[in-house]
Amino acid sequence: MKLKVVVKYFGSVRDDSGTESETLFLEEESTISQAIAMLKERHNGIRNRKGQILFALNQSYSSDESKMKEGDELALFPVVSGG
């Protein structure tokens, strides 16, 4: 069975992906890192990013090895620095 996960993009990551959001269908037990690998295959702009991408699973920072489940929301956004 495939998991349906909504991906939302913010800031320059949105620009690099060319969209605000999309739906991914992943294998059961898929991790965040596997989802991001799939997104890098789909979007050259994300694959070619020089900076890191931060992510949150259901509005909370998570390990990239966290397993995803049906209906999860994965948000991707750029690293922000300031002084």
Side-chain angles (χ1 to χ4, degrees):
M1 184 172 106
K2 297 277 186 175
L3 304 175
K4 182 179 175 182
V5 175
V6 174
V7 181
K8 295 187 177 181
Y9 301 97
F10 297 91
S12 61
V13 179
R14 180 180 56 227
D15 297 338
D16 291 343
S17 71
T19 187
E20 291 185 15
S21 66
E22 66 182 298
T23 302
L24 284 183
F25 293 93
L26 304 166
E27 298 296 326
E28 286 187 51
E29 303 289 314
S30 288
T31 63
I32 292 173
S33 63
Q34 290 169 315
I36 291 174
M38 180 184 286
L39 295 170
K40 286 182 175 183
E41 288 179 21
R42 285 187 180 186
H43 303 288
N44 286 334
I46 293 175
R47 180 177 37 231
N48 296 328
R49 281 187 67 85
K50 294 189 190 304
Q52 288 185 313
I53 297 175
L54 295 176
F55 52 85
L57 183 61
N58 299 321
Q59 300 180 359
S60 296
Y61 292 111
S62 300
S63 161
D64 64 347
E65 292 306 312
S66 294
K67 293 184 180 176
M68 303 180 76
K69 62 185 185 310
E70 176 70 23
D72 278 350
E73 177 188 276
L74 178 63
L76 279 67
F77 45 96
V79 175
V80 180
S81 64

